[in-house]
Amino acid sequence: IPMQKGVLILCDALTYCQKFNPEVIIDVATLTGAVIIALGNHHSGIMTNNKNLFTDLNNAGNDISDTIWQLPLGDEYDELLKSNFADMANISSGRGAGTVTAGCFLARFVKDYNWAHLDIAGTAWLTGAKKRRYRKTSTIIDTIYY
């Protein structure tokens, strides 16, 4: 699914899960190729509206060598979602800040919840001797249960 369509499906899921009034919402997706340009295959990008949630996810990831790098969510990036044709654009207007603008788009749908988005496009699959899939599962489980 191209990023523009994937982000819309993810927003539907974020909106749907709110009917259960969760304490925390954590979504994980191979959302943008831009995160690979920014972080390569060594760290996953995280955007969150809650510092404690970032700390918990970061600590859990560090414990299992599955590192994350926090990317900003700010008004200057949210401005990039302005559109002349719709309530908001679901793609950045240029090459810059693709991962962050996708995160800002998602953040608009979870304003009342503690939320984190992990963009794992660069880290979902490893190559070489350490091949394993879906690395973020352990990080999230450690965060929730410990």
Side-chain angles (χ1 to χ4, degrees):
I1 297 174
M3 190 282 282
Q4 297 84 359
K5 294 177 184 154
V7 75
L8 295 176
I9 293 168
L10 187 51
C11 288
D12 284 344
L14 292 171
T15 301
Y16 176 77
C17 74
Q18 292 175 34
K19 78 182 226 173
F20 302 102
N21 199 27
E23 289 182 38
V24 170
I25 299 173
I26 302 170
D27 72 80
V28 181
T30 55
L31 195 60
T32 67
V35 78
I36 299 170
I37 293 168
L39 302 175
N41 302 105
H42 304 288
H43 307 283
S44 296
I46 183 172
M47 289 154 282
T48 181
N49 61 8
N50 184 280
K51 290 179 183 179
N52 293 330
L53 182 56
F54 168 75
T55 299
D56 291 345
L57 286 165
N58 189 47
N59 290 340
N62 286 337
D63 286 347
I64 61 168
S65 299
D66 192 10
T67 56
I68 57 176
W69 190 266
Q70 189 168 20
L71 299 167
L73 290 175
D75 293 340
E76 63 274 19
Y77 296 106
D78 198 61
E79 288 286 317
L80 298 173
L81 297 174
K82 286 189 175 178
S83 171
N84 294 329
F85 309 104
D87 293 337
M88 64 184 125
N90 70 330
I91 187 169
S92 61
S93 58
R95 279 185 49 90
T99 301
V100 176
T101 53
C104 287
F105 187 85
L106 296 175
R108 290 182 175 202
F109 293 86
V110 289
K111 289 182 178 178
D112 296 328
Y113 291 87
N114 296 321
W115 162 79
H117 166 70
L118 291 158
D119 192 330
I120 61 167
T123 60
W125 298 273
L126 293 177
T127 58
K130 294 184 177 182
K131 283 186 182 178
R132 45 183 182 164
R133 299 180 88 178
Y134 310 116
R135 295 169 53 190
K136 289 298 166 252
T137 305
S138 297
T139 300
I140 293 169
I141 290 170
D142 284 355
T143 300
I144 294 170
Y145 291 106
Y146 303 105

